[in-house]
Protein backbone atom coordinates (compact mmCIF):
# COMPACT_ATOMS: atom_id res chain seq x y z
CA UNK A 1 0.00 0.00 0.00
CA UNK A 2 1.31 3.39 -0.91
CA UNK A 3 0.15 6.21 1.37
CA UNK A 4 -1.19 9.32 -0.28
CA UNK A 5 0.04 12.71 0.89
CA UNK A 6 -1.81 15.96 1.15
CA UNK A 7 0.20 18.89 -0.18
CA UNK A 8 1.42 21.32 2.45
CA UNK A 9 0.45 24.95 2.19
CA UNK A 10 3.13 27.59 1.78
CA UNK A 11 4.96 28.54 4.94
CA UNK A 12 3.95 25.53 7.00
CA UNK A 13 6.24 22.83 8.27
CA UNK A 14 5.50 19.17 8.93
CA UNK A 15 4.33 18.76 12.50
CA UNK A 16 4.42 22.54 13.03
CA UNK A 17 0.90 23.57 12.12
CA UNK A 18 0.43 25.96 15.09
CA UNK A 19 -3.28 25.34 15.07
CA UNK A 20 -3.72 26.27 11.41
CA UNK A 21 -4.39 22.67 10.35
CA UNK A 22 -1.98 22.93 7.41
CA UNK A 23 0.53 20.16 8.29
CA UNK A 24 1.21 17.02 6.23
CA UNK A 25 -1.43 14.33 6.63
CA UNK A 26 -0.79 10.72 5.64
CA UNK A 27 -3.99 8.95 4.67
CA UNK A 28 -3.33 5.24 3.95
CA UNK A 29 -5.50 3.67 1.31
CA UNK A 30 -7.12 0.52 2.64
CA UNK A 31 -8.67 -2.16 0.54
CA UNK A 32 -11.56 -4.08 2.02
CA UNK A 33 -11.54 -7.76 1.14
CA UNK A 34 -14.91 -9.42 1.52
CA UNK A 35 -15.12 -13.13 2.14
CA UNK A 36 -17.89 -15.25 0.64
CA UNK A 37 -20.17 -16.75 3.29
CA UNK A 38 -19.88 -20.45 4.05
CA UNK A 39 -22.46 -22.66 2.37
CA UNK A 40 -24.52 -25.42 3.96
CA UNK A 41 -26.23 -28.44 2.42
CA UNK A 42 -29.80 -29.09 3.57
CA UNK A 43 -30.46 -32.84 3.69
CA UNK A 44 -33.53 -35.02 4.16
CA UNK A 45 -33.08 -38.34 5.98
CA UNK A 46 -35.03 -41.47 5.14
CA UNK A 47 -37.41 -43.08 7.60
CA UNK A 48 -39.90 -45.93 7.35
CA UNK A 49 -43.00 -43.90 8.24
CA UNK A 50 -43.17 -40.61 6.33
CA UNK A 51 -45.23 -41.04 3.14
CA UNK A 52 -43.35 -40.47 -0.11
CA UNK A 53 -46.00 -38.00 -1.27
CA UNK A 54 -45.44 -35.90 1.86
CA UNK A 55 -41.69 -35.71 1.12
CA UNK A 56 -42.46 -34.60 -2.46
CA UNK A 57 -44.80 -31.93 -1.06
CA UNK A 58 -42.08 -30.68 1.33
CA UNK A 59 -39.58 -30.40 -1.54
CA UNK A 60 -42.06 -28.49 -3.68
CA UNK A 61 -43.19 -26.17 -0.88
CA UNK A 62 -39.95 -25.32 0.93
CA UNK A 63 -37.34 -25.84 -1.79
CA UNK A 64 -39.31 -24.71 -4.87
CA UNK A 65 -38.70 -27.98 -6.70
CA UNK A 66 -40.91 -29.05 -9.59
CA UNK A 67 -42.89 -32.28 -9.27
CA UNK A 68 -40.40 -34.32 -11.31
CA UNK A 69 -37.27 -33.06 -9.52
CA UNK A 70 -38.96 -33.43 -6.12
CA UNK A 71 -39.87 -37.03 -6.98
CA UNK A 72 -36.28 -37.78 -8.04
CA UNK A 73 -34.88 -36.35 -4.79
CA UNK A 74 -37.47 -38.27 -2.74
CA UNK A 75 -36.52 -41.53 -4.49
CA UNK A 76 -32.84 -40.80 -3.88
CA UNK A 77 -33.58 -40.31 -0.17
CA UNK A 78 -35.63 -43.52 -0.14
CA UNK A 79 -32.90 -45.64 -1.81
CA UNK A 80 -29.76 -44.05 -0.32
CA UNK A 81 -30.98 -42.94 3.10
CA UNK A 82 -30.20 -39.26 2.56
CA UNK A 83 -30.70 -36.65 -0.16
CA UNK A 84 -29.73 -33.04 -0.76
CA UNK A 85 -32.53 -30.47 -1.04
CA UNK A 86 -30.30 -27.48 -1.73
CA UNK A 87 -27.25 -25.46 -0.74
CA UNK A 88 -27.69 -22.18 1.14
CA UNK A 89 -26.00 -19.69 3.45
CA UNK A 90 -26.17 -20.57 7.15
CA UNK A 91 -29.22 -18.46 8.03
CA UNK A 92 -31.28 -19.66 5.06
CA UNK A 93 -30.31 -23.32 5.61
CA UNK A 94 -31.19 -23.07 9.30
CA UNK A 95 -34.57 -21.52 8.47
CA UNK A 96 -35.39 -24.22 5.92
CA UNK A 97 -34.48 -27.01 8.36
CA UNK A 98 -36.71 -25.45 11.01
CA UNK A 99 -39.60 -24.98 8.56
CA UNK A 100 -39.41 -28.60 7.37
CA UNK A 101 -39.15 -30.02 10.88
CA UNK A 102 -42.07 -27.90 12.16
CA UNK A 103 -44.20 -28.84 9.14
CA UNK A 104 -43.43 -32.55 9.58
CA UNK A 105 -44.29 -32.45 13.31
CA UNK A 106 -47.51 -30.54 12.59
CA UNK A 107 -48.54 -33.37 10.27
CA UNK A 108 -47.29 -36.04 12.70
CA UNK A 109 -44.49 -37.37 10.52
CA UNK A 110 -41.01 -38.28 11.84
CA UNK A 111 -39.24 -36.75 8.81
CA UNK A 112 -35.76 -35.50 9.70
CA UNK A 113 -34.05 -32.56 8.00
CA UNK A 114 -30.49 -31.54 8.81
CA UNK A 115 -27.80 -29.20 7.52
CA UNK A 116 -24.06 -29.71 7.09
CA UNK A 117 -21.26 -27.41 6.03
CA UNK A 118 -20.32 -27.90 2.40
Amino acid sequence: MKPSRVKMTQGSHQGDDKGTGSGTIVAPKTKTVTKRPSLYRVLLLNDDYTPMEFVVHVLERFFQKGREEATQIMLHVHHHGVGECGVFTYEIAETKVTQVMDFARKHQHPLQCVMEKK
Side-chain angles (χ1 to χ4, degrees), residues 62-112:
F62 297 107
F63 299 97
Q64 291 71 47
K65 303 294 183 188
R67 174 65 80 178
E68 190 172 315
E69 186 179 6
T71 301
Q72 289 174 353
I73 294 170
M74 176 274 299
L75 288 172
H76 187 274
V77 171
H78 182 69
H79 293 296
H80 297 95
V82 65
E84 182 179 282
C85 305
V87 178
F88 309 95
T89 59
Y90 181 84
E91 291 81 9
I92 294 172
E94 184 178 47
T95 299
K96 296 220 180 257
V97 168
T98 301
Q99 288 174 330
V100 169
M101 295 294 289
D102 289 347
F103 190 69
R105 297 301 157 262
K106 180 180 173 186
H107 291 87
Q108 301 178 342
H109 294 300
L111 182 64
Q112 294 292 304

Side-chain angles (χ1 to χ4, degrees), residues 2-114:
K2 190 174 184 180
S4 61
R5 293 193 176 264
V6 176
K7 189 175 181 179
M8 291 176 42
T9 59
Q10 190 176 24
S12 65
H13 299 286
Q14 185 173 353
D16 184 24
D17 65 1
K18 296 184 180 148
T20 64
S22 59
T24 301
I25 300 170
V26 177
K29 292 182 181 178
T30 59
K31 185 175 182 181
T32 304
V33 178
T34 56
K35 183 179 151 191
R36 288 193 171 267
S38 297
L39 295 177
Y40 292 80
R41 299 171 64 207
V42 175
L43 308 169
L44 285 179
L45 307 179
N46 189 42
D47 65 74
D48 294 332
Y49 303 101
T50 304
M52 292 179 174
E53 191 57 37
F54 183 80
V55 175
V56 170
H57 180 68
V58 164
L59 290 162
E60 291 173 331
R61 179 173 177 163
F62 297 107
F63 299 97
Q64 291 71 47
K65 303 294 183 188
R67 174 65 80 178
E68 190 172 315
E69 186 179 6
T71 301
Q72 289 174 353
I73 294 170
M74 176 274 299
L75 288 172
H76 187 274
V77 171
H78 182 69
H79 293 296
H80 297 95
V82 65
E84 182 179 282
C85 305
V87 178
F88 309 95
T89 59
Y90 181 84
E91 291 81 9
I92 294 172
E94 184 178 47
T95 299
K96 296 220 180 257
V97 168
T98 301
Q99 288 174 330
V100 169
M101 295 294 289
D102 289 347
F103 190 69
R105 297 301 157 262
K106 180 180 173 186
H107 291 87
Q108 301 178 342
H109 294 300
L111 182 64
Q112 294 292 304
C113 186
V114 297

